Structures are given as structure tokens and as C-alpha cells.
Amino acid sequence: MRYMERVAIIGVGQTKYESGKRDNFAEMVFEVTNKAMEDAGITKNEIDNVVSVSSDFWDGRTISCMAISDASAAYGKDITTVEGDGTFGAIYGLMRNLSGNYGTTLVVAHHKGTESNMNGITNTAFDPLVERKLGLDAVSSGALQARRYMSAYGLLEEQFALVSVKNHGNAKRNPLAMLPMDITVEDVMGSRMVADPLKVLDCSPLTDGACAIILASETPAHKLTTRDKRVWVKGVGHCSDAFRMGDRDLADTRALKDAADRAYTMAGIIDPAKEIDVAEVYDAFTYMEPLWLEGLGICDDGMGCEYLERGLFDFEGDLPINPSGGRLSANPVQVAGLACMAECVLQLRGEAGDHQVEGADTALAHGINGMCGQSHCVWVLGR
Amino acid sequence: MGNRVGIIGVGQTHHAAKRLDASGVELIAEAVTRALDDAELTIDDIDAIVVGNMDHFENINYVDTWAVDGLGAFMKPVFKVTTGGTTGTTVGACGYYQAASGLFDIVLAVGWEKNSESDTQAAIATCANPILERDSFAGAIGPLATEYSMYMKAFGATEEDAAIVAARDRNNALNNPYAHSRQQVTVEDVMKSPMLSYPIKFLDMCPRSDGACAVIFANEKAARKLCPEPAWVHASVVRHDYTHFGDLEWKFMPTLERASAAAYKLAGITKPLEEFDVAELYLPASTCGVKWMDSLWFCEHGEAPDLIRKGTFEMDGQLPINPSGGVISTNPIGATALIRVAEGAWQIMGKSGDRQVEGASLALCTGFGGCSWSDVMILGADLP
Amino acid sequence: MGMYTDKRKRTHTPEGYELLTHSSGDIQYDFGWHCGPYWSKFLGEMRDNKRFMAVKCPECGTVYVPPRQCCGKCFVDMNEWVEVGPEGSLEGFTVVRFPYIDPNNGQMKKVPYTAIWVTLDGSDTRYLHFCNEPDEMKLDVGMRLRAVWAEKRIGTVHDVEYFEVMK
């Protein structure tokens, strides 16, 4: 796998993440598409093609992309739709740029978690014959993975709780986040048990929101924007593990390691813990943050919680993780990974306001697809 | 057109109303193994995978992660694309862009559907805006029927013109061992079949099928090395304009006109009716096979009935359309548009058996779905 | 090519087990879609004032019904409201005769019913709805239609019961 041409992210836009947004899908997409274009300083005429990200299941209609076709500035242009996390939509967008057919690509994702039925919808990710009847969904399967992770390395719920405290606390500095909260480990441990060992404060909320990014190949990036707007794609990779949970060791992050390896090789990163300045990873549940950080090679397997305890991933720590508040503070599924990328762009530009990590020069964004992080997509972005 | 990509292998399942003998994952595996055979590759040679189908037909969420076993996607890069009826060509375009990007050399693109697992029209009815349009929107058949009523009024096309198209596609399917519906019909048989939704009758309309299709795309260097006669991608254009059905101009198909015009320009084609050797078109109903000929720039608006009546598009006509039997003979919706690309590729590669158009070296493939959306892919024997 | 086994007619495994299907049973997925300000006004006007409200694009002048925030062609916000209808011309129609499951309630859809596209006077787009004439031989593109309002209106598209052909 080689990397041919440089591609930059030149514009980003996000809605405020909330519960029960009163806009419909098209209105959210219109909002972030305009925000991203405004951010990049371009008009719809400079957008060459569109990759939308949506889910028929979550939206409650087949061909869910149809609702946002007009609102994504796609009239008269090539458009396609990825169904999965926004990071996968973005990698397809990147490939459309690299193919030589398009100079700019808009990637826009939308989601309304509060209009639908999360348990039913994530239950349908499981096999209809064998697994669905068990009533598995995102939370119960996450609980299984959390328990496996705990027993593999002797971890404690109190350690996972640190992620919740940190991320909800970080959200106080991010005006777009849905759940800024001042909480303690005791608060997390005392919150209602949902699926052992996951309690309410271990889980991400149902969220409504949308996000858009604009990718530009090197020549148009230089032509259309100024240096301060450009954040370069240094490396990217994606990879999927086996489907059945029984076919996997849920504490083994081999697919993530593969995806991260691809991204790091492209970016020339040898020691991620040292070379990455800030990261936004997909913490759908507290236990996922340390687990994915191990898969990303930022710490050794089983060491994630120890690093958390030492404060290394705090906002003031050596390697701030999820300074935006993470998915624990806002989890618009499909959008979330793209939001990670948008946040990394803001960090690298120095535009993250109160949640700015000083001197951020290389950032990592991460997204997952499927249950228990079966499939991963890793992005390394830099100046 | 950007970097050059060729199709180096194709696989299809035997399509049927119901494939009792295979689950969805097994159906996918059937198409994938046949495509690898066709290209003389193994799954290890595949660098990335893309899959597509329409969720509500099987009610399976996150199909890309669910079908990993059948796709050969274990520990490989994979994701899913879906755009309704155009899914198959969206999958095909994705295969093209991934191979053209240089990130991956050999890309496997899979479209599939098990339409037997649900009520097809009910699922399709949910594509319309649930608040404003769903209640009167009669699945796929309603709008297609309505648009032909407008075309008949405007230009004097007849139900019989559509019946000629139906008979053509259905009789062509007799030469295609993979087709779902293979029956000999006359124009009279079609005219006498039960009315579904005026003016579309039973034999005018596509079935719904279980089936899968896999197409292997390779960038120029890999394609030249691995395949003696790749089907090169000359153009891929997509126009999914319009969100609301009422916004469309219905006497002709605006998206197909724009998409095909742009595709012809990319491929350097000025006289499509003369230059193409074969066309595999997404015609879900025979009425489309009349009306949409205008929108492909084969003739002026309203002149399609003349071409139909003259036999222009029969196997022995100027431009054979749907030698495979088309959508009217085989319709596993997530695969259907990809099958057009697959059949077009086999025509170029000379692998179409009894349905081969002699010396075919330029093929037109289209996809249709959604809010009257259009995808166009042009394949050729020569390098673009 | 033709060398693969055609297993389409199989009903049993090689060992003789019947090939089974597995039913999901009745499943219901509830959604609570937000209409947004444009559709909320559109439905509210139908319910309260028995009229159709459309929006007009400030750039291309297209009058859209149903209204929406963004003109797809120009990609601009639309804020100019225009009343259209209640009469219009029949642009296209079909009499649906095949039954299928209504995704709104899981019951079989009652057929035949007549689905139409009507261009309401003053609008540039077509509105999808129903017509009370069930005989396709009595309908012709170009006929004039009039909206028949429901007695009880609650803010859905059924606040118009159907369109009738004007004699």
C-alpha cells in the first residue's frame, strides 16, 4: 500500500450535540454543510462530489440518504453513501480524491438517536438465527466485552469509571458537547446498573447531531484555502475482525492493531505514545477508551487503566485523550467518528478554544463499526 | 477520468425467487468464490472489500461486519455502501474508486439481496418521506406506472411498446443460465397478463430475487499483469439529485440525461446509439425500456417508441439491450445494478456464452433507484 | 460459466435434512420523526386554515410544495411562503391493484387505490396524494382536480381526504 498524493481537510462543521433536536435530517445536514463550507471559505461550486453517511436502520427509512440529497449540496454532482461510522465515509472520500477524479470531497454524516429505538436497532446487528433471540444489543454486548477485558487483565470497574469522570469533565470545555458533568468515581459507581458491569455513567448517551468535513487534494487545497486552514492526512487504515463474538477474544484488539499499523506506516510513526499529541477515540463505553488505546499501541496490552490512573490521558496529561468530552459526552452514531476527525482538525489548527491542547502537531482520530468494535478505522492527521 | 482501472473477474450466483439452500452469507460466498475463480485469484490477493444491499429486505444491520465470513473480509479493510436500487452501481463505483486511489490494488465489490426474506414493496415504500409521501407511495411500481401514464399522454407511446420490451428482455434470459425468470413470452402474453398498477402489467414488471454478484476491480498495473482482457472503466457518473418525488420532471428522466451526458463526455462518446456495442440497462419495468431511451440520448424526447417498434434494441438490432434478460428477469435488488456492470464486463471479456454480442468492445451499464436516481458506467476493451 | 452447480431447486441438504426458514415473528420499530419548522408549518396550515403553503427560492424562483428549507439546485435557504392550490392539474396517476404490507401499521394495504401527482395551481413541483376515482379509464393527464378537506384534521397529509376531479 502506497500513499500517492497529499490530501488535506480544509473545512469542518458540527451541530451542537443534543437530545431531541427539533430539526429534521435535512436541516441538520444543511447546517453542517454550510458550516464546513464557511469554515473552508468556499461555496458549493467548489465541492466536486459528496460522500454522505447515514443508516437506514437508525433513520427508519430505506434509502436514508435520500432525505439529505438536496441538503448536502449534491445537486448535479456525484454522490454516494456509506453506511457505517463517519470515519469509513471519510476514507472512501479520501479515495475518491486520490483516484484523480475529484479535487474536493464533502463528507457529511447525520444521526438522530433520540427518534428511534437503540436497543431494537442494535439488536439487528446480531445474527437473526442464533444471537438476536438472546436480546443482545450494543449495551449488553459491550458489557460482555467489558467483563472479558476485566478478567483478562485483572481490571476494576473503578478504573473504568475514571474515563467517565475525565470525559464528562472535559466536556465542560466544549460548547458543542451534550453532557458536560462534574462527577466523581463514586458518582459513576453509584449510578444505576444497566448491564453488569456497565452502569448508566459508563455508557454513552443517545444523541442527535451531524458533522461535515471537506477533503481537498493538494493543488486545490493550496488554491482554495490559506495555510492555517489546512490539516493534512498523514495516514489511514481500516480493518474488520470476525463477526461472531464467540469467534473472537473480545479483549484482543487485533483488527485495531492492523488498522493502526496501516495508518502509522503511512504516517511514518514508530512510537505512537511519543509522536501523537492528542487523540479522539471511540469511547462508546468507559472500558473502550483504555482498550482501544492498547490496540492503538499507545500503551501495552492491559496497561490502559494504569495509565489512566496516573493521569497520563487527562486534559493536562502527557497525551490528552478525548479533550472534546468523547462519545461518553455525545454519541451520535455514524457521526461520532467524523466528529473525532473534526475535533482533531480544530486541535491542530489551534481553534479548539477552551479545550485546546497546547502545541498539538499530530492528532489521531478513531472510529468503530459493528458491535464490540468489530471493525476499526484509524486516521493520523498533522500539520 | 482519473487513474485507470479494469475489471478482471466476475461471479454471480444462480438467481431465484427463493434460495432455500443458502443463507445470505452463503449466497455472498457463492458469488465471491466464483469471481475469484474467474479472475484466477485467491482471497489473499484481495486488498479491500466493499459490500452493498438494501437493509430493510433482510433486516440485518451493519451488513459489512455481519457478512465478514462470506466476503472473505476477516482481518481485511471492508465497509458498506447503500443507495437503494442504485446500490449495485454504487458498489461498482466504489470498487473503481478504491482501486484507482492507489491505496489498494485489487478490490472486491459485492452486491447481494435476499428479497424472499421480506415484503419487497413494503420495504421500498419506506424510502418515501414518512411524514409527507409514504402513504400514497406504492413501492416501486406506483411511481413507474405513473410516469409512463405521463409519457403516453405526452408522446403517444402505448402499452404495446412496453410489451415489446418485456418480451425482448424475457426471451433474452433464456440464454442466461444465471437468470431467475426464464420464460418464452410473446407480446400478446404480456398484454394479457394481470394489471398490477395501470399501465404496468404482471409480465411488464421485474420479479424480486435472491442473488449475489461479485466484481473484482484492479488498478492498471495489477490488471495488466493479472488479466489478458480486462474490461476497462471508461466512465463512472452518478446523479442522485432530488429528495422529494414531486420535484422531478417526469416526462423524461433528468438525472439519466445528465448522468449519461457527463459519462459520454468522459468517455469521448458523441453518438451513443452508434458507438455502443451492447447495453445492460437497469429497467425495472418494461415501460422504462421505452421512456428512458430518450434520456440516454438515443433519440429526441418522444421518439423512443419508433426505435422500439423497429427492433433497434433486439439481439440482432443496432444496439442489443439486456442480452442477460435484464432486471425484468432477475432482481436481487442490492445486486441488480452490479449485475449490469458484471454482464457488461463479461461481454467485453468475451465470456458471455450464448448471450455474447460478437466483438463487443464498448458497453453501457446503468443503475436506477431512489428518487429517480441514475448511475452510469461505461466499460471498454481498450484502455481509456 | 455454466460449469457451476445450479442449486436453485434444492429443498433438502445432502444428508436429507429439510432446508428451513426462520420467522422473525412480528416486529415493530417505532420512530418519532421530527418534522422540523417547514413541514410543521405546512401541516399546521392544512389543519388550521385548510390551505397549502409552499416556499419560493430567492434565486431560481421555483415554488416548492411540499416546502423544505433548502432549494436543491441553488443550495440556499428559502423563507418566502406562497399559498398554492387548492385546485390543480393532474400530472400523472396510477391505480394500484397489488396488495402489500403497509409499513405504517403492518396490515395489508387496501387496494385498489388511486395515487396521483397533482400540480397545485401556483406551484412548480408536483404533490403526491390520492384521488377518489378508482377507474383508470376515467382519468386523464391534464384533468382539473380539487382538494377535498377532511372533517377532522390533525396535522397529517390525510387532512386532505383526497382530490376529486372537477366536473
Side-chain angles (χ1 to χ4, degrees), chain B residues 15 34 37 59 119 122 129 134-135 138 145-146 149-150 153 177-179 196-198 246-248 351, chain C residues 1 4 7-8 29 39 68 91-95 97 100-101 104 109 113 117 125-126 136 140-141 158:
Chain B
H15 311 293
R34 291 177 182 186
D37 267 353
N59 201 33
D119 181 323
N129 184 306
R134 184 189 277 189
D135 294 3
T146 316
S149 73
M150 293 162 143
K153 177 77 180 180
Y178 298 105
L196 290 176
S197 190
Y198 176 80
D247 292 358
L248 282 142
K351 292 181 173 183
Chain C
M1 289 302 309
Y4 293 114
K7 296 180 279 172
R8 287 179 280 198
Y29 291 108
W39 301 342
R68 76 295 299 261
E91 288 284 329
F93 64 92
T94 186
V95 179
R97 297 188 180 282
Y100 60 96
I101 297 174
N104 288 332
K109 195 112 173 147
Y113 73 88
W117 270 298
T125 64
R126 284 144 287 288
E136 52 266 69
D140 203 12
V141 171
H158 295 287

Side-chain angles (χ1 to χ4, degrees), chain C residues 37-50:
Chain C
Y38 287 77
W39 301 342
S40 297
K41 179 173 162 117
F42 178 66
L43 296 172
E45 287 276 358
M46 291 209 297
R47 177 194 63 219
D48 299 338
N49 300 324
K50 293 205 275 195

Side-chain angles (χ1 to χ4, degrees), chain A residues 1 15 17 55 60 65 72 102 104 113-114 131 137 143 162 179 193 195 204 207 257 275 283 292 334 340 376:
Chain A
M1 203 172 66
T15 58
Y17 299 111
S55 165
C65 53
S72 51
Y102 306 109
T104 58
T114 57
E131 295 170 343
D137 62 18
L162 291 169
L179 293 180
M193 184 65 75
S204 54
T207 313
K257 287 179 176 155
E275 300 176 57
D283 53 326
W292 303 150
Q334 325 310 120
C340 289
H376 294 262

Side-chain angles (χ1 to χ4, degrees), chain C residues 96-149:
Chain C
V96 180
R97 297 188 180 282
F98 61 94
Y100 60 96
I101 297 174
D102 185 340
N104 288 332
N105 53 34
Q107 314 290 328
M108 289 309 272
K109 195 112 173 147
K110 287 199 183 61
V111 290
Y113 73 88
T114 306
I116 55 165
W117 270 298
V118 51
T119 305
L120 295 167
D121 292 337
S123 99
D124 293 309
T125 64
R126 284 144 287 288
Y127 185 59
L128 259 73
H129 210 267
F130 304 96
C131 178
N132 63 341
E133 175 56 71
D135 185 349
E136 52 266 69
M137 294 306 141
K138 297 217 178 93
L139 288 169
D140 203 12
V141 171
M143 281 176 157
R144 296 286 302 164
L145 301 174
R146 171 198 297 128
V148 173
W149 297 94

Side-chain angles (χ1 to χ4, degrees), chain B residues 19-75:
Chain B
R19 283 291 304 267
L20 260 185
D21 68 290
S23 69
V25 179
E26 288 159 351
L27 212 57
I28 290 170
E30 187 173 299
V32 169
T33 46
R34 291 177 182 186
L36 291 171
D37 267 353
D38 194 44
E40 291 177 39
L41 296 173
T42 71
I43 196 65
D44 291 337
D45 299 308
I46 300 293
D47 297 317
I49 299 168
V50 59
V51 63
N53 71 308
M54 269 176 83
D55 302 348
H56 283 56
F57 292 134
E58 300 82 15
N59 201 33
I60 293 168
N61 203 351
Y62 299 109
V63 155
D64 49 327
T65 50
W66 168 79
V68 154
D69 291 346
L71 290 168
F74 173 63
M75 294 304 285

